[in-house]
Amino acid sequence: MRWLKQTYDAVRSEDIEESKAEEIRDFLAAKSGEDAEAPDRHDAHPLTIQPATLQGGGSHIQLHHPSPKPRELPKATPFLDSLDKPYMTPYTLPKPPSDRSTDISCLNTSASLMMQRLTDHFPPSSDLQGSDAGDTSTLKKHLDDIFGPFVNTLKPFEDIPAEDWVRAAIWWAFKGKEQLEIVSFHKGSVPVANRDAVASPKPIQAAVNLAKAWWICQSIIPRLGRGEFLDDKDFNIALLEQYRCVQQYLQGLGQTISFLLETKRDQITGIDVDRSLWIMYPSCSPKEREILCPDRWPQSADNTPPLAFGDTETLFSYGSEFVSLTLVNEGDDIPSHSFECVLSFIRLQSSWEIVAAFASQTEAVYIEVHSSRKRGVSWHDVYWDAARSVLHIIIRPQHIAQVQLTEQSFKMVWEIAQEIMHTETLLVAGELDTLVFEDTVGFCHYISHDRPSNFPSGPVEQCKVRLFEKFEMVKEGKTERRVHCGFRLFVATPPQAKMISRASHYFLNSTPLLYGIYEDDNGFPGLLLQVREGSHRLSISLTFHDHHARGLLHALLLGAIPRDHETMSEKFAIRSFALSEPPDRDSDMQNIRHLEVGESMACVIEEKDGAGRSPYGNTVWSETLRVIIETTWGSITDRINLPPSHLRIGLCVLDDKVLNILRPPQSDLTVCVRQDTNSDKLRDELTKVINAIQTKFTLRRIEFNSIEDLHSFQQAITGYKVRFDRVAKRFIINRPRKLFSIRNRWEANFTRVQLVQQKGKFQLIAFFYQSPHGNCMNFEVRCTDAFQPIDKSDLWGIVIKDAKFALPEIKPHMPGFVCLDELDYPLEHDDISVMFNDKAERDELLACLPGYGGQS
């Protein structure tokens, strides 16, 4: 109902049809009658939320806050921005005629409307124009007689600091304005000629309260010897700005107040009208004062005033409400003290946070409620008693502030609090999220292709951009690890505008990320991001001040930049990269290729100095290890965050530059596609690839330009350095037959042999070519093992005496893969012979073996 009243007050008679005006008046009159008949729970007045607009792309966005359904706590509703579905759509305010000036501040407009309401109740007669009643000095004398006796009720005049008088002026301006807005509900229900006959104490009290504020500003403050503007250096700047708002608001009310004194003096001086200047608060102990002022408002350098009457150059006020605050100590049956306070919702222009402030007329009470506990008392410390419309604020353990509200205001505060907390969750990183990027961009152009959006449709300057990396916890046995599951991009319009629009979108790993790199007409770098949420398509275009910021955000989305605790390997030129499904173990079906990439570049990012993090080194349980493949159409980021025994590699015997990697289903692979490619078709194909990767075992086949690049890449992903890599002529295992003294020889003709080392651990890896006994095997060699060189039939070799190993598995139709971080249990203890065509190759292997020529 409040937005309807504001619409009626803001539109002049020539701006709307008379039938609409009569309809609004009838509605307000009926609603006002219902409010008058209903008994009030206390003196509180309905919360007034000021709608505000933000100019963006040639269109105004306006936000209103109606009341939710009765007896039901409403869901969180937007407060900082206008969402796709506004709460209510009141009559559209028509634009003013071209001859009417629109360059009027919000405060001036509000003051002129309030003056019009006062004039409607107490219209000045023509015979007063130019008389002494309109003279400011005469009015001051009249008000001296009315309010002078109440000056010293709190303390002697000379002991009252100027700051207290300023607070009193703001307080009574608040009070009068709120009361007059309630009275304005009756506007139009009674003819102007008969309003004197039906005048009630409410409009009289509202006018008297405004007269108090006017008298303090015009008579008391100058009398303190500080001048009209209170420009002392030790005066609180924020409070001084609010005082000036009150001065501006009260401009022009002197004549109306003078007429009120002439015509309603008997009612003003009656017992039903409160003429006191100070609220008499109960005396408190030092401990209670410390509890009621935990935020200790009071530093002159503070930008937050205790009483916020209107908007200033540094602050926005979103509404105020008079409430009753009671301090309750846990365990006490009777509440200790009650205080009349003002609840204000304010926001500094340098911040996105809206703060709820409870303040008394004096410094007795000042409590701020924030969006996060890191800043003090937060909305998480507030419990909601919907049945009684009471807020229970836990200030300290065993100390609770109970705030009594009207039913309508209670629901309104609930909505605002829920939206404040929701906005806080978007602004900051969650428990498993990490803020990886934050910057203020030159322009943000947000385009919603399929449906209306709350974000301004045109480019907006100086938007805040934050990028959060999202993780989820995966528990395997007693070990937990974080797994990357995408990014969240947060964009908000500048806080210097009263109404803030924001957008938060996820870039999940289930679909490719579409991006574009560009430069605007002025040469500034830009990044275009395409978002798909179901069938809804969005485009977010960010223009940066420099190339570094654009490159950083782009690299973070690709996962292609090392963080502080990470290091990047050199880049490897690769001939090809293929991603496929391995052939079925139980059939002759060949492998299914999902993706093939030609010549490209690859690099590995791994944890810096993380070798001692686990007994497996820095490649197992790693939350940072990842491979980046840069292609002609985008990039692939393949994260290797695996428990032991899950990463398996394979080598080709005849092609020494090919490395195969077998991976179980994974959810942390990121695919990025440039916009200038055939995006729609390629995006659909890559989406199918990602679905296959997330549900099936997949095989990566990487062909390098040189064997040295393969060795470096292999070491980066496994943690084992390749000490030796050659093809042996024969690989022989001498196995004794059970129950007989005859030995059985397992022999493979061509075998790719590698000796790898991680610190003091050595492993011998063998990949067989078309062997009936298996595809591959690996086992540990120690410095205590016996190595015997042999020469036989133009072959030179090494015999490893009594080697401990597990026999290779026979898997038809499957390429061979070995796991380096966990070996199969060595059930066999037999001699193994490795024979070469070249004596130099044999000697090279001998030199690398532990305890023989290599390091132990």
Side-chain angles (χ1 to χ4, degrees):
M1 192 263 295
R2 178 68 67 191
W3 61 261
L4 190 56
K5 176 188 72 63
Q6 291 171 341
T7 301
Y8 173 69
D9 288 339
V11 181
R12 299 187 182 181
S13 59
E14 63 265 28
D15 291 332
I16 59 175
E17 299 177 1
E18 185 61 28
S19 59
K20 289 293 184 184
E22 289 297 330
E23 180 182 347
I24 298 174
R25 292 191 190 100
D26 293 341
F27 175 83
L28 292 174
K31 183 62 181 175
S32 180
E34 295 175 5
D35 294 344
E37 293 176 2
D40 291 336
R41 188 176 287 108
H42 59 88
D43 290 359
H45 303 294
L47 181 66
T48 303
I49 300 298
Q50 304 172 6
T53 59
L54 171 63
Q55 183 71 24
S59 61
H60 291 280
I61 299 173
Q62 191 160 11
L63 180 64
H64 299 273
H65 292 277
S67 300
K69 296 180 180 179
R71 299 185 178 278
E72 179 183 355
L73 290 182
K75 296 181 180 179
T77 48
F79 179 69
L80 293 180
D81 56 347
S82 336
L83 293 183
D84 299 341
K85 298 179 180 179
Y87 306 112
M88 290 185 180
T89 305
Y91 298 111
T92 305
L93 296 179
K95 295 183 179 179
S98 57
D99 58 343
R100 182 183 302 172
S101 174
T102 58
D103 187 18
I104 302 175
S105 67
C106 177
L107 290 175
N108 285 336
T109 304
S110 176
S112 63
L113 291 174
M114 190 62 69
M115 180 178 176
Q116 183 180 355
R117 296 173 196 166
L118 268 175
T119 308
D120 287 343
H121 287 284
F122 312 106
S125 57
S126 58
D127 59 350
L128 286 175
Q129 302 298 329
S131 65
D132 292 341
D135 185 74
T136 302
S137 60
T138 305
L139 178 58
K140 289 180 182 179
K141 294 179 181 179
H142 287 307
L143 295 180
D144 286 344
D145 296 337
I146 296 174
F147 302 127
F150 298 93
V151 169
N152 298 317
T153 55
L154 184 66
K155 61 178 79 171
F157 176 79
E158 57 273 11
D159 295 336
I160 303 176
E163 195 166 280
D164 286 0
W165 283 113
V166 170
R167 293 172 69 119
I170 300 173
W171 178 275
W172 293 118
F174 258 137
K175 197 82 167 178
K177 179 182 176 183
E178 292 289 334
Q179 290 173 339
L180 204 56
E181 286 181 348
I182 295 178
V183 174
S184 66
F185 287 162
H186 297 277
K187 185 177 180 180
S189 60
V190 179
V192 175
N194 298 333
R195 287 182 188 170
D196 288 342
V198 297
S200 64
K202 285 189 176 180
I204 295 291
Q205 185 63 66
V208 168
N209 289 336
L210 289 175
K212 296 177 187 178
W214 187 93
W215 179 68
I216 293 174
C217 294
Q218 297 293 330
S219 182
I220 296 295
I221 299 298
R223 199 185 307 173
L224 297 175
R226 293 174 176 262
E228 183 182 356
F229 300 104
L230 293 174
D231 53 357
D232 284 17
K233 294 181 180 180
D234 59 341
F235 208 86
N236 182 276
I237 298 175
L239 188 62
L240 181 59
E241 290 177 346
Q242 295 302 316
Y243 170 71
R244 289 168 180 166
C245 288
V246 171
Q247 283 185 309
Q248 189 175 7
Y249 173 79
L250 295 174
Q251 285 178 0
L253 290 182
Q255 182 179 349
T256 304
I257 295 173
S258 298
F259 173 76
L260 175 64
L261 291 175
E262 294 294 328
T263 58
K264 308 293 181 183
R265 190 176 185 88
D266 293 340
Q267 296 184 37
I268 292 175
T269 56
I271 60 174
D272 295 333
V273 176
D274 179 19
R275 290 174 288 149
S276 61
L277 299 174
W278 303 105
I279 304 298
M280 304 304 294
Y281 292 112
S283 59
C284 300
S285 64
K287 182 179 181 181
E288 289 175 328
R289 286 197 295 270
E290 185 179 354
I291 294 171
L292 290 169
C293 274
D295 296 284
R296 272 298 167 208
W297 169 85
Q299 304 305 328
S300 59
D302 196 345
N303 292 324
T304 305
L307 298 171
F309 186 81
D311 297 344
T312 65
E313 294 181 355
T314 60
L315 176 139
F316 291 121
S317 174
Y318 292 94
S320 301
E321 164 83 359
F322 279 90
V323 299
S324 176
L325 186 145
T326 304
L327 180 63
V328 178
N329 297 324
E330 215 173 86
D332 295 348
D333 297 332
I334 302 175
S336 57
H337 301 296
S338 293
F339 302 83
E340 185 179 5
C341 296
V342 172
L343 164 60
S344 301
F345 288 95
I346 54 180
R347 180 175 66 82
L348 296 177
Q349 292 192 22
S350 59
S351 170
W352 276 270
E353 182 193 16
I354 292 182
V355 178
F358 297 86
S360 58
Q361 186 191 42
T362 63
E363 295 183 357
V365 178
Y366 185 73
I367 300 172
E368 289 183 353
V369 181
H370 298 267
S371 56
S372 172
R373 284 196 175 103
K374 296 178 181 178
R375 305 179 189 98
V377 179
S378 77
W379 290 107
H380 299 283
D381 302 314
V382 177
Y383 293 87
W384 306 79
D385 187 349
R388 297 188 300 154
S389 299
V390 174
L391 306 182
H392 300 270
I393 306 174
I394 301 178
I395 306 175
R396 290 184 180 180
Q398 300 182 348
H399 297 286
I400 301 173
Q402 292 183 352
V403 180
Q404 181 68 63
L405 299 167
T406 62
E407 183 178 355
Q408 179 184 4
S409 298
F410 179 85
K411 294 173 181 177
M412 193 76 68
V413 173
W414 165 272
E415 292 181 359
I416 297 171
Q418 295 302 307
E419 179 60 21
I420 290 174
M421 289 190 291
H422 177 62
T423 302
E424 179 71 14
T425 61
L426 298 180
L427 276 169
V428 301
E431 183 178 356
L432 296 177
D433 300 347
T434 302
L435 176 63
V436 295
F437 179 85
E438 181 176 12
D439 192 22
T440 300
V441 298
F443 287 94
C444 173
H445 194 181
Y446 184 96
I447 303 174
S448 178
H449 298 283
D450 305 311
R451 64 189 182 196
S453 170
N454 64 294
F455 211 87
S457 58
V460 181
E461 295 185 57
Q462 302 301 311
C463 287
K464 176 70 78 173
V465 175
R466 290 181 177 180
L467 183 69
F468 301 92
E469 186 174 6
K470 296 189 63 62
F471 297 91
E472 62 180 0
M473 295 301 298
V474 176
K475 186 174 183 179
E476 296 182 8
K478 295 182 179 180
T479 305
E480 286 187 338
R481 57 190 172 99
R482 293 193 314 169
V483 176
H484 171 89
C485 58
F487 292 95
R488 179 171 66 86
L489 183 71
F490 175 82
V491 182
T493 53
Q496 287 75 24
K498 185 168 187 177
M499 197 56 56
I500 297 178
S501 296
R502 52 171 168 72
S504 181
H505 296 286
Y506 291 94
F507 298 102
L508 301 178
N509 297 326
S510 56
T511 57
L513 169 64
L514 267 66
Y515 70 93
I517 302 294
Y518 69 92
E519 290 189 358
D520 67 1
D521 297 337
N522 297 319
F524 288 100
L527 177 65
L528 174 65
L529 301 174
Q530 301 280 352
V531 183
R532 281 198 180 185
E533 298 175 342
S535 60
H536 184 39
R537 295 187 305 116
L538 297 166
S539 298
I540 303 175
S541 178
L542 305 174
T543 303
F544 297 84
H545 297 289
D546 54 66
H547 287 80
H548 173 74
R550 194 265 306 273
L552 178 59
L553 178 58
H554 178 216
L556 286 169
L557 287 168
L558 272 57
I561 185 170
R563 314 285 173 79
D564 294 337
H565 61 287
E566 298 173 346
T567 181
M568 177 187 288
S569 69
E570 60 179 290
K571 289 193 174 183
F572 309 105
I574 60 177
R575 293 179 181 176
S576 65
F577 172 84
L579 198 151
S580 61
E581 293 180 34
D584 191 274
R585 299 185 181 188
D586 302 323
S587 68
D588 295 334
M589 186 181 68
Q590 297 297 318
N591 60 345
I592 303 173
R593 291 210 170 186
H594 292 291
L595 179 66
E596 292 190 47
V597 177
E599 292 187 358
S600 52
M601 300 296 293
C603 67
V604 180
I605 295 178
E606 57 185 340
E607 187 174 357
K608 185 189 301 180
D609 301 328
R613 179 176 49 81
S614 74
Y616 300 99
N618 62 341
T619 59
V620 178
W621 304 113
S622 175
E623 298 175 0
T624 61
L625 182 61
R626 56 193 182 273
V627 178
I628 295 93
I629 308 292
E630 300 176 5
T631 70
T632 56
W633 46 259
S635 67
I636 301 171
T637 303
D638 193 4
R639 294 174 176 82
I640 306 178
N641 185 359
L642 295 171
S645 76
H646 279 61
L647 178 65
R648 296 179 176 270
I649 64 170
L651 297 172
C652 294
V653 177
L654 302 181
D655 194 342
D656 59 359
K657 300 181 184 65
V658 174
L659 174 67
N660 295 316
I661 304 173
L662 182 65
R663 294 287 306 272
Q666 67 177 110
S667 60
D668 54 1
L669 182 136
T670 300
V671 178
C672 299
V673 182
R674 285 210 317 269
Q675 189 192 23
D676 54 1
T677 60
N678 188 6
S679 300
D680 291 338
K681 182 179 179 181
L682 183 60
R683 180 190 176 96
D684 294 339
E685 293 176 354
L686 290 174
T687 301
K688 295 178 182 178
V689 174
I690 293 174
N691 292 334
I693 291 173
Q694 293 182 348
T695 56
K696 302 176 182 178
F697 275 79
T698 49
L699 174 65
R700 287 102 166 117
R701 182 184 185 276
I702 307 176
E703 184 179 2
F704 295 88
N705 282 339
S706 66
I707 193 172
E708 290 78 16
D709 287 348
L710 184 147
H711 291 166
S712 300
F713 186 87
Q714 180 181 340
Q715 179 182 355
I717 66 172
T718 63
Y720 281 84
K721 181 180 180 180
V722 180
R723 300 290 304 273
F724 177 84
D725 187 0
R726 293 288 186 273
V727 177
K729 178 68 174 179
R730 287 191 178 88
F731 192 93
I732 304 169
I733 301 177
N734 292 315
R735 301 189 65 233
R737 290 181 178 270
K738 293 182 178 180
L739 304 178
F740 297 96
S741 59
I742 305 174
R743 303 187 69 85
N744 181 27
R745 288 166 59 96
W746 282 17
E747 185 174 340
N749 287 329
F750 291 98
T751 303
R752 176 87 173 265
V753 177
Q754 273 193 353
L755 182 69
V756 296
Q757 177 186 5
Q758 184 185 68
K759 294 186 176 180
K761 296 180 180 180
F762 290 79
Q763 288 189 41
L764 189 73
I765 309 172
F767 291 91
F768 310 125
Y769 178 70
Q770 296 181 353
S771 172
H773 303 294
N775 297 323
C776 57
M777 64 180 293
N778 64 314
F779 59 93
E780 185 176 0
V781 291
R782 300 180 175 87
C783 59
T784 56
D785 293 338
F787 308 106
Q788 178 184 350
I790 59 172
D791 302 333
K792 186 176 181 181
S793 302
D794 297 331
L795 296 177
W796 290 265
I798 296 175
V799 178
I800 305 175
K801 295 290 187 178
D802 197 25
K804 282 77 174 173
F805 60 92
L807 288 174
E809 293 185 26
I810 301 175
K811 300 177 182 178
H813 315 294
M814 277 286 292
F817 294 96
V818 297
C819 176
L820 301 184
D821 47 72
E822 277 200 352
L823 301 175
D824 294 333
Y825 189 78
L827 296 176
E828 306 293 326
H829 294 189
D830 300 315
D831 294 347
I832 292 180
S833 302
V834 185
M835 310 299 294
F836 298 92
N837 285 327
D838 191 348
K839 181 176 181 294
E841 293 179 347
R842 190 272 311 271
D843 295 341
E844 181 183 354
L845 176 58
L846 276 174
C848 296
L849 289 170
Y852 195 91
Q855 297 177 355
S856 58

